[in-house]
Amino acid sequence: MKTSKYTKVAVIIMVILFVVVSAISCSTHVHSSGGSGKVPPGQAKKMSGSKSAKAYAPGQQKKH
């Protein structure tokens, strides 16, 4: 049984398309850590670049 060059190319293209479609259809789920999803004061300080975490701690904020 002889196969033409075009048949081989078509099979290779179909296999590549199947791999790409199956890879795209995979889904991932991101789980948040913690109950409320808030960032701890120390981590917020690091992200903003400030020197003190006092402004990000809920117990340290002034009430008006």
CSV table of all heavy atoms in Angstrom, one decimal:
chain,number,residue,atom,x,y,z
A,1,MET,N,0.8,-1.2,0.0
A,1,MET,CA,0.0,0.0,0.0
A,1,MET,C,0.9,1.2,0.0
A,1,MET,O,1.7,1.4,0.9
A,1,MET,CB,-0.9,0.0,1.2
A,1,MET,CG,-1.8,1.1,1.4
A,1,MET,SD,-2.8,0.9,2.8
A,1,MET,CE,-3.1,2.6,3.2
A,2,LYS,N,0.7,2.0,-1.0
A,2,LYS,CA,1.5,3.3,-1.1
A,2,LYS,C,0.6,4.4,-0.6
A,2,LYS,O,-0.5,4.5,-1.0
A,2,LYS,CB,2.0,3.5,-2.5
A,2,LYS,CG,3.1,2.7,-3.0
A,2,LYS,CD,3.6,3.1,-4.3
A,2,LYS,CE,4.9,2.5,-4.7
A,2,LYS,NZ,5.5,3.0,-5.9
A,3,THR,N,1.3,5.3,0.1
A,3,THR,CA,0.6,6.5,0.5
A,3,THR,C,1.2,7.7,-0.1
A,3,THR,O,2.5,7.7,-0.2
A,3,THR,CB,0.6,6.7,2.1
A,3,THR,OG1,1.9,6.7,2.5
A,3,THR,CG2,-0.2,5.5,2.7
A,4,SER,N,0.5,8.6,-0.5
A,4,SER,CA,1.0,9.8,-1.2
A,4,SER,C,1.6,10.7,-0.1
A,4,SER,O,1.4,10.6,1.1
A,4,SER,CB,0.0,10.5,-2.0
A,4,SER,OG,-0.9,11.1,-1.1
A,5,LYS,N,2.5,11.6,-0.6
A,5,LYS,CA,3.1,12.6,0.3
A,5,LYS,C,2.0,13.5,0.9
A,5,LYS,O,2.2,13.9,2.1
A,5,LYS,CB,4.1,13.4,-0.5
A,5,LYS,CG,4.9,14.4,0.3
A,5,LYS,CD,6.0,15.0,-0.5
A,5,LYS,CE,5.6,15.9,-1.6
A,5,LYS,NZ,6.7,16.7,-2.2
A,6,TYR,N,1.0,13.8,0.2
A,6,TYR,CA,-0.1,14.7,0.7
A,6,TYR,C,-0.8,14.0,1.8
A,6,TYR,O,-1.3,14.7,2.8
A,6,TYR,CB,-1.0,15.1,-0.4
A,6,TYR,CG,-0.3,16.0,-1.5
A,6,TYR,CD1,-0.1,15.5,-2.7
A,6,TYR,CD2,0.2,17.2,-1.1
A,6,TYR,CE1,0.6,16.3,-3.7
A,6,TYR,CE2,0.9,18.0,-2.1
A,6,TYR,CZ,1.1,17.5,-3.3
A,6,TYR,OH,1.7,18.3,-4.3
A,7,THR,N,-1.0,12.7,1.8
A,7,THR,CA,-1.7,12.0,2.8
A,7,THR,C,-0.9,12.0,4.1
A,7,THR,O,-1.5,12.2,5.2
A,7,THR,CB,-2.0,10.5,2.4
A,7,THR,OG1,-2.6,10.5,1.1
A,7,THR,CG2,-2.8,9.8,3.4
A,8,LYS,N,0.4,11.9,4.0
A,8,LYS,CA,1.2,11.9,5.2
A,8,LYS,C,1.2,13.3,5.8
A,8,LYS,O,1.1,13.4,7.0
A,8,LYS,CB,2.6,11.5,4.8
A,8,LYS,CG,2.8,10.1,4.5
A,8,LYS,CD,4.3,9.8,4.2
A,8,LYS,CE,4.4,8.3,3.7
A,8,LYS,NZ,5.8,8.0,3.3
A,9,VAL,N,1.2,14.3,5.0
A,9,VAL,CA,1.2,15.7,5.5
A,9,VAL,C,-0.1,16.0,6.1
A,9,VAL,O,-0.2,16.6,7.2
A,9,VAL,CB,1.5,16.7,4.3
A,9,VAL,CG1,1.2,18.1,4.8
A,9,VAL,CG2,2.9,16.5,3.8
A,10,ALA,N,-1.2,15.5,5.5
A,10,ALA,CA,-2.6,15.7,6.1
A,10,ALA,C,-2.7,15.0,7.5
A,10,ALA,O,-3.3,15.6,8.4
A,10,ALA,CB,-3.6,15.2,5.1
A,11,VAL,N,-2.2,13.8,7.6
A,11,VAL,CA,-2.2,13.1,8.9
A,11,VAL,C,-1.4,13.9,9.9
A,11,VAL,O,-1.9,14.0,11.1
A,11,VAL,CB,-1.7,11.7,8.7
A,11,VAL,CG1,-1.5,11.0,10.1
A,11,VAL,CG2,-2.7,10.9,7.9
A,12,ILE,N,-0.2,14.4,9.6
A,12,ILE,CA,0.6,15.1,10.5
A,12,ILE,C,-0.1,16.4,11.0
A,12,ILE,O,-0.1,16.7,12.1
A,12,ILE,CB,2.0,15.4,9.9
A,12,ILE,CG1,2.8,14.1,9.8
A,12,ILE,CG2,2.7,16.4,10.8
A,12,ILE,CD1,4.1,14.3,9.0
A,13,ILE,N,-0.7,17.1,10.0
A,13,ILE,CA,-1.5,18.3,10.4
A,13,ILE,C,-2.6,18.0,11.3
A,13,ILE,O,-2.9,18.7,12.3
A,13,ILE,CB,-1.9,19.0,9.1
A,13,ILE,CG1,-0.7,19.6,8.4
A,13,ILE,CG2,-2.9,20.1,9.4
A,13,ILE,CD1,-1.0,20.2,7.0
A,14,MET,N,-3.4,16.9,11.0
A,14,MET,CA,-4.5,16.5,11.9
A,14,MET,C,-4.0,16.2,13.3
A,14,MET,O,-4.7,16.6,14.3
A,14,MET,CB,-5.3,15.4,11.2
A,14,MET,CG,-6.0,15.8,10.0
A,14,MET,SD,-6.8,14.4,9.1
A,14,MET,CE,-7.8,13.7,10.3
A,15,VAL,N,-2.9,15.5,13.4
A,15,VAL,CA,-2.4,15.2,14.7
A,15,VAL,C,-2.0,16.4,15.5
A,15,VAL,O,-2.3,16.6,16.7
A,15,VAL,CB,-1.2,14.2,14.6
A,15,VAL,CG1,-0.5,14.0,15.9
A,15,VAL,CG2,-1.7,12.8,14.1
A,16,ILE,N,-1.3,17.4,14.8
A,16,ILE,CA,-0.9,18.6,15.5
A,16,ILE,C,-2.2,19.4,15.9
A,16,ILE,O,-2.2,19.9,17.0
A,16,ILE,CB,0.0,19.4,14.5
A,16,ILE,CG1,1.3,18.7,14.3
A,16,ILE,CG2,0.2,20.9,15.0
A,16,ILE,CD1,2.2,19.4,13.3
A,17,LEU,N,-3.2,19.5,15.0
A,17,LEU,CA,-4.4,20.2,15.4
A,17,LEU,C,-5.1,19.5,16.6
A,17,LEU,O,-5.6,20.2,17.5
A,17,LEU,CB,-5.4,20.2,14.2
A,17,LEU,CG,-5.0,21.2,13.1
A,17,LEU,CD1,-6.0,21.1,11.9
A,17,LEU,CD2,-5.1,22.6,13.7
A,18,PHE,N,-5.1,18.2,16.6
A,18,PHE,CA,-5.7,17.5,17.8
A,18,PHE,C,-5.0,17.8,19.1
A,18,PHE,O,-5.6,18.1,20.1
A,18,PHE,CB,-5.7,16.0,17.5
A,18,PHE,CG,-6.2,15.2,18.7
A,18,PHE,CD1,-7.5,15.1,19.0
A,18,PHE,CD2,-5.3,14.5,19.5
A,18,PHE,CE1,-8.0,14.4,20.0
A,18,PHE,CE2,-5.8,13.8,20.6
A,18,PHE,CZ,-7.1,13.7,20.9
A,19,VAL,N,-3.6,17.8,19.0
A,19,VAL,CA,-2.8,18.1,20.2
A,19,VAL,C,-3.1,19.6,20.7
A,19,VAL,O,-3.3,19.8,21.9
A,19,VAL,CB,-1.3,17.9,20.0
A,19,VAL,CG1,-0.5,18.4,21.1
A,19,VAL,CG2,-1.1,16.4,19.7
A,20,VAL,N,-3.2,20.5,19.7
A,20,VAL,CA,-3.4,21.9,20.1
A,20,VAL,C,-4.8,22.1,20.7
A,20,VAL,O,-4.9,22.8,21.7
A,20,VAL,CB,-3.2,22.8,18.8
A,20,VAL,CG1,-3.7,24.2,19.1
A,20,VAL,CG2,-1.7,22.8,18.4
A,21,VAL,N,-5.8,21.5,20.1
A,21,VAL,CA,-7.2,21.6,20.6
A,21,VAL,C,-7.3,21.0,21.9
A,21,VAL,O,-7.9,21.6,22.9
A,21,VAL,CB,-8.2,21.1,19.6
A,21,VAL,CG1,-9.6,20.9,20.2
A,21,VAL,CG2,-8.2,21.9,18.3
A,22,SER,N,-6.7,19.9,22.1
A,22,SER,CA,-6.8,19.2,23.5
A,22,SER,C,-6.0,20.0,24.5
A,22,SER,O,-6.4,20.0,25.7
A,22,SER,CB,-6.3,17.8,23.4
A,22,SER,OG,-5.0,17.7,23.0
A,23,ALA,N,-5.0,20.6,24.2
A,23,ALA,CA,-4.2,21.4,25.1
A,23,ALA,C,-5.0,22.7,25.5
A,23,ALA,O,-5.0,23.1,26.6
A,23,ALA,CB,-2.8,21.8,24.6
A,24,ILE,N,-5.7,23.3,24.5
A,24,ILE,CA,-6.4,24.5,24.8
A,24,ILE,C,-7.7,24.2,25.6
A,24,ILE,O,-8.1,25.0,26.5
A,24,ILE,CB,-6.8,25.2,23.4
A,24,ILE,CG1,-5.6,25.8,22.8
A,24,ILE,CG2,-7.9,26.3,23.7
A,24,ILE,CD1,-5.9,26.3,21.4
A,25,SER,N,-8.2,23.1,25.5
A,25,SER,CA,-9.5,22.8,26.2
A,25,SER,C,-9.2,22.5,27.7
A,25,SER,O,-10.2,22.4,28.4
A,25,SER,CB,-10.2,21.6,25.5
A,25,SER,OG,-9.4,20.4,25.7
A,26,CYS,N,-8.0,22.3,28.1
A,26,CYS,CA,-7.7,22.0,29.5
A,26,CYS,C,-7.9,23.3,30.3
A,26,CYS,O,-7.6,24.4,29.8
A,26,CYS,CB,-6.3,21.6,29.7
A,26,CYS,SG,-5.9,20.0,29.0
A,27,SER,N,-8.5,23.2,31.4
A,27,SER,CA,-8.8,24.4,32.3
A,27,SER,C,-8.1,24.2,33.6
A,27,SER,O,-8.0,23.1,34.1
A,27,SER,CB,-10.3,24.6,32.4
A,27,SER,OG,-10.8,23.5,33.2
A,28,THR,N,-7.7,25.3,34.2
A,28,THR,CA,-7.1,25.3,35.5
A,28,THR,C,-7.9,26.1,36.4
A,28,THR,O,-8.6,27.1,36.0
A,28,THR,CB,-5.6,25.8,35.5
A,28,THR,OG1,-5.7,27.2,35.0
A,28,THR,CG2,-4.8,25.0,34.6
A,29,HIS,N,-7.9,25.8,37.7
A,29,HIS,CA,-8.6,26.5,38.7
A,29,HIS,C,-7.7,27.1,39.7
A,29,HIS,O,-6.8,26.4,40.2
A,29,HIS,CB,-9.6,25.6,39.4
A,29,HIS,CG,-10.6,25.0,38.5
A,29,HIS,ND1,-11.7,25.7,38.0
A,29,HIS,CD2,-10.7,23.8,38.0
A,29,HIS,CE1,-12.4,24.9,37.2
A,29,HIS,NE2,-11.8,23.7,37.2
A,30,VAL,N,-7.8,28.4,40.0
A,30,VAL,CA,-7.0,29.1,41.0
A,30,VAL,C,-7.7,29.2,42.3
A,30,VAL,O,-8.9,29.7,42.3
A,30,VAL,CB,-6.6,30.5,40.5
A,30,VAL,CG1,-5.7,31.2,41.5
A,30,VAL,CG2,-5.8,30.4,39.2
A,31,HIS,N,-7.1,28.7,43.3
A,31,HIS,CA,-7.8,28.7,44.7
A,31,HIS,C,-7.1,29.8,45.5
A,31,HIS,O,-5.9,30.0,45.5
A,31,HIS,CB,-7.6,27.4,45.4
A,31,HIS,CG,-8.3,26.2,44.7
A,31,HIS,ND1,-9.6,26.0,44.7
A,31,HIS,CD2,-7.8,25.3,43.9
A,31,HIS,CE1,-9.9,25.0,44.0
A,31,HIS,NE2,-8.8,24.5,43.5
A,32,SER,N,-8.0,30.6,46.1
A,32,SER,CA,-7.4,31.7,46.9
A,32,SER,C,-7.1,31.1,48.3
A,32,SER,O,-7.8,30.3,48.8
A,32,SER,CB,-8.4,32.9,47.0
A,32,SER,OG,-9.6,32.4,47.7
A,33,SER,N,-6.1,31.7,48.9
A,33,SER,CA,-5.7,31.2,50.3
A,33,SER,C,-6.4,32.2,51.3
A,33,SER,O,-6.3,33.4,51.2
A,33,SER,CB,-4.2,31.3,50.4
A,33,SER,OG,-3.7,32.6,50.2
A,34,GLY,N,-7.0,31.6,52.3
A,34,GLY,CA,-7.7,32.4,53.3
A,34,GLY,C,-9.2,32.5,53.0
A,34,GLY,O,-9.6,32.2,51.9
A,35,GLY,N,-9.9,32.9,54.1
A,35,GLY,CA,-11.3,32.9,54.0
A,35,GLY,C,-11.8,34.1,53.2
A,35,GLY,O,-12.7,34.0,52.3
A,36,SER,N,-11.3,35.3,53.5
A,36,SER,CA,-11.9,36.5,52.9
A,36,SER,C,-11.1,36.9,51.7
A,36,SER,O,-11.5,37.8,50.9
A,36,SER,CB,-11.9,37.7,53.9
A,36,SER,OG,-10.5,38.0,54.3
A,37,GLY,N,-9.9,36.4,51.4
A,37,GLY,CA,-9.1,36.7,50.3
A,37,GLY,C,-8.3,38.0,50.4
A,37,GLY,O,-7.8,38.5,49.5
A,38,LYS,N,-8.2,38.5,51.7
A,38,LYS,CA,-7.5,39.8,51.9
A,38,LYS,C,-6.0,39.5,52.0
A,38,LYS,O,-5.6,38.4,52.4
A,38,LYS,CB,-8.0,40.5,53.1
A,38,LYS,CG,-9.4,41.0,53.0
A,38,LYS,CD,-9.8,41.9,54.2
A,38,LYS,CE,-11.1,42.4,54.0
A,38,LYS,NZ,-11.6,43.2,55.1
A,39,VAL,N,-5.2,40.4,51.7
A,39,VAL,CA,-3.7,40.3,51.8
A,39,VAL,C,-3.3,40.7,53.2
A,39,VAL,O,-3.7,41.8,53.7
A,39,VAL,CB,-3.1,41.2,50.7
A,39,VAL,CG1,-1.6,41.1,50.8
A,39,VAL,CG2,-3.6,40.8,49.3
A,40,PRO,N,-2.4,40.0,53.8
A,40,PRO,CA,-1.9,40.4,55.1
A,40,PRO,C,-1.2,41.7,55.0
A,40,PRO,O,-0.6,42.0,54.0
A,40,PRO,CB,-0.9,39.2,55.5
A,40,PRO,CG,-1.3,38.1,54.6
A,40,PRO,CD,-1.9,38.7,53.4
A,41,PRO,N,-1.1,42.5,56.2
A,41,PRO,CA,-0.5,43.8,56.1
A,41,PRO,C,1.0,43.8,55.7
A,41,PRO,O,1.4,44.7,55.0
A,41,PRO,CB,-0.6,44.2,57.6
A,41,PRO,CG,-1.7,43.4,58.2
A,41,PRO,CD,-1.8,42.2,57.4
A,42,GLY,N,1.7,42.7,56.1
A,42,GLY,CA,3.1,42.7,55.7
A,42,GLY,C,3.3,42.5,54.2
A,42,GLY,O,4.2,43.0,53.6
A,43,GLN,N,2.4,41.7,53.6
A,43,GLN,CA,2.5,41.5,52.2
A,43,GLN,C,2.1,42.7,51.4
A,43,GLN,O,2.6,43.0,50.4
A,43,GLN,CB,1.6,40.3,51.8
A,43,GLN,CG,2.1,38.9,52.3
A,43,GLN,CD,3.5,38.6,51.8
A,43,GLN,OE1,3.8,38.7,50.7
A,43,GLN,NE2,4.3,38.0,52.8
A,44,ALA,N,1.1,43.4,51.9
A,44,ALA,CA,0.6,44.7,51.3
A,44,ALA,C,1.8,45.7,51.3
A,44,ALA,O,2.0,46.5,50.4
A,44,ALA,CB,-0.6,45.2,51.9
A,45,LYS,N,2.5,45.7,52.4
A,45,LYS,CA,3.6,46.6,52.6
A,45,LYS,C,4.7,46.3,51.5
A,45,LYS,O,5.2,47.2,50.9
A,45,LYS,CB,4.2,46.5,54.0
A,45,LYS,CG,5.5,47.3,54.2
A,45,LYS,CD,6.1,47.0,55.5
A,45,LYS,CE,6.9,45.7,55.5
A,45,LYS,NZ,8.2,45.8,55.0
A,46,LYS,N,5.0,45.0,51.3
A,46,LYS,CA,6.0,44.6,50.4
A,46,LYS,C,5.6,45.0,48.9
A,46,LYS,O,6.4,45.5,48.2
A,46,LYS,CB,6.2,43.1,50.4
A,46,LYS,CG,7.0,42.7,51.6
A,46,LYS,CD,7.1,41.1,51.5
A,46,LYS,CE,7.8,40.6,52.8
A,46,LYS,NZ,7.9,39.1,52.7
A,47,MET,N,4.3,44.8,48.6
A,47,MET,CA,3.8,45.1,47.3
A,47,MET,C,3.8,46.6,47.0
A,47,MET,O,4.1,47.0,45.9
A,47,MET,CB,2.4,44.6,47.1
A,47,MET,CG,2.4,43.1,47.0
A,47,MET,SD,0.8,42.4,46.5
A,47,MET,CE,-0.2,42.7,47.9
A,48,SER,N,3.5,47.4,48.0
A,48,SER,CA,3.5,48.9,47.8
A,48,SER,C,4.9,49.5,47.9
A,48,SER,O,5.1,50.6,47.4
A,48,SER,CB,2.5,49.5,48.7
A,48,SER,OG,3.1,49.5,50.1
A,49,GLY,N,5.8,48.9,48.6
A,49,GLY,CA,7.1,49.4,48.7
A,49,GLY,C,7.3,50.3,49.9
A,49,GLY,O,8.3,51.0,50.1
A,50,SER,N,6.3,50.4,50.8
A,50,SER,CA,6.4,51.3,51.9
A,50,SER,C,7.2,50.7,53.0
A,50,SER,O,7.5,49.5,53.0
A,50,SER,CB,5.0,51.7,52.4
A,50,SER,OG,4.3,50.6,52.9
A,51,LYS,N,7.7,51.5,54.0
A,51,LYS,CA,8.5,51.0,55.0
A,51,LYS,C,7.8,50.4,56.2
A,51,LYS,O,8.3,49.7,57.0
A,51,LYS,CB,9.5,52.1,55.5
A,51,LYS,CG,10.4,52.5,54.4
A,51,LYS,CD,11.5,53.4,54.9
A,51,LYS,CE,12.4,53.8,53.8
A,51,LYS,NZ,13.8,53.7,54.1
A,52,SER,N,6.5,50.7,56.4
A,52,SER,CA,5.7,50.3,57.5
A,52,SER,C,4.4,49.6,57.1
A,52,SER,O,3.8,50.1,56.1
A,52,SER,CB,5.4,51.5,58.4
A,52,SER,OG,4.5,51.1,59.4
A,53,ALA,N,4.1,48.6,57.8
A,53,ALA,CA,2.8,47.9,57.5
A,53,ALA,C,1.7,48.4,58.3
A,53,ALA,O,0.6,48.0,58.2
A,53,ALA,CB,3.0,46.4,57.8
A,54,LYS,N,1.9,49.5,59.1
A,54,LYS,CA,0.9,50.0,60.0
A,54,LYS,C,-0.3,50.5,59.3
A,54,LYS,O,-1.4,50.4,59.7
A,54,LYS,CB,1.6,51.2,60.8
A,54,LYS,CG,0.7,51.6,62.0
A,54,LYS,CD,1.5,52.7,62.8
A,54,LYS,CE,0.8,53.1,64.0
A,54,LYS,NZ,1.5,54.1,64.8
A,55,ALA,N,-0.1,51.1,58.1
A,55,ALA,CA,-1.2,51.7,57.3
A,55,ALA,C,-2.1,50.6,56.8
A,55,ALA,O,-3.3,50.8,56.4
A,55,ALA,CB,-0.7,52.5,56.2
A,56,TYR,N,-1.6,49.3,56.7
A,56,TYR,CA,-2.4,48.3,56.1
A,56,TYR,C,-3.0,47.4,57.1
A,56,TYR,O,-3.8,46.5,56.8
A,56,TYR,CB,-1.5,47.4,55.2
A,56,TYR,CG,-0.8,48.3,54.1
A,56,TYR,CD1,0.5,48.7,54.3
A,56,TYR,CD2,-1.5,48.7,53.0
A,56,TYR,CE1,1.1,49.5,53.3
A,56,TYR,CE2,-1.0,49.5,52.0
A,56,TYR,CZ,0.4,49.9,52.2
A,56,TYR,OH,0.9,50.7,51.2
A,57,ALA,N,-2.7,47.5,58.4
A,57,ALA,CA,-3.3,46.7,59.5
A,57,ALA,C,-4.6,47.3,59.9
A,57,ALA,O,-4.6,48.5,60.3
A,57,ALA,CB,-2.3,46.6,60.7
A,58,PRO,N,-5.7,46.6,59.9
A,58,PRO,CA,-7.0,47.1,60.3
A,58,PRO,C,-7.1,47.6,61.7
A,58,PRO,O,-7.8,48.6,62.0
A,58,PRO,CB,-8.0,46.0,60.1
A,58,PRO,CG,-7.2,44.8,59.8
A,58,PRO,CD,-5.8,45.2,59.5
A,59,GLY,N,-6.3,47.1,62.6
A,59,GLY,CA,-6.4,47.5,64.0
A,59,GLY,C,-5.6,48.8,64.3
A,59,GLY,O,-5.7,49.4,65.3
A,60,GLN,N,-4.8,49.2,63.3
A,60,GLN,CA,-3.9,50.4,63.5
A,60,GLN,C,-4.4,51.6,62.7
A,60,GLN,O,-3.8,52.6,62.7
A,60,GLN,CB,-2.5,50.0,63.0
A,60,GLN,CG,-1.8,48.9,63.7
A,60,GLN,CD,-1.6,49.2,65.2
A,60,GLN,OE1,-1.3,50.3,65.5
A,60,GLN,NE2,-1.8,48.2,66.0
A,61,GLN,N,-5.6,51.5,62.1
A,61,GLN,CA,-6.1,52.6,61.4
A,61,GLN,C,-6.9,53.5,62.3
A,61,GLN,O,-7.7,53.0,63.1
A,61,GLN,CB,-7.0,52.1,60.2
A,61,GLN,CG,-6.2,51.4,59.2
A,61,GLN,CD,-7.0,50.8,58.1
A,61,GLN,OE1,-8.2,50.8,58.2
A,61,GLN,NE2,-6.4,50.3,57.1
A,62,LYS,N,-6.8,54.8,62.1
A,62,LYS,CA,-7.5,55.8,63.0
A,62,LYS,C,-9.0,55.8,62.6
A,62,LYS,O,-9.3,55.7,61.4
A,62,LYS,CB,-6.9,57.2,62.8
A,62,LYS,CG,-5.6,57.3,63.5
A,62,LYS,CD,-5.2,58.8,63.4
A,62,LYS,CE,-3.9,59.0,64.1
A,62,LYS,NZ,-3.4,60.4,64.1
A,63,LYS,N,-9.8,55.9,63.6
A,63,LYS,CA,-11.3,56.1,63.3
A,63,LYS,C,-11.6,57.5,63.3
A,63,LYS,O,-11.2,58.3,64.2
A,63,LYS,CB,-12.1,55.3,64.3
A,63,LYS,CG,-11.8,53.8,64.2
A,63,LYS,CD,-12.6,53.0,65.3
A,63,LYS,CE,-12.3,51.6,65.2
A,63,LYS,NZ,-13.0,50.8,66.1
A,64,HIS,N,-12.4,58.0,62.4
A,64,HIS,CA,-12.8,59.4,62.4
A,64,HIS,C,-14.1,59.7,63.2
A,64,HIS,O,-15.0,59.1,63.1
A,64,HIS,CB,-13.0,59.9,60.9
A,64,HIS,CG,-11.7,59.8,60.2
A,64,HIS,ND1,-11.3,58.8,59.3
A,64,HIS,CD2,-10.6,60.7,60.2
A,64,HIS,CE1,-10.1,59.1,58.8
A,64,HIS,NE2,-9.7,60.2,59.4
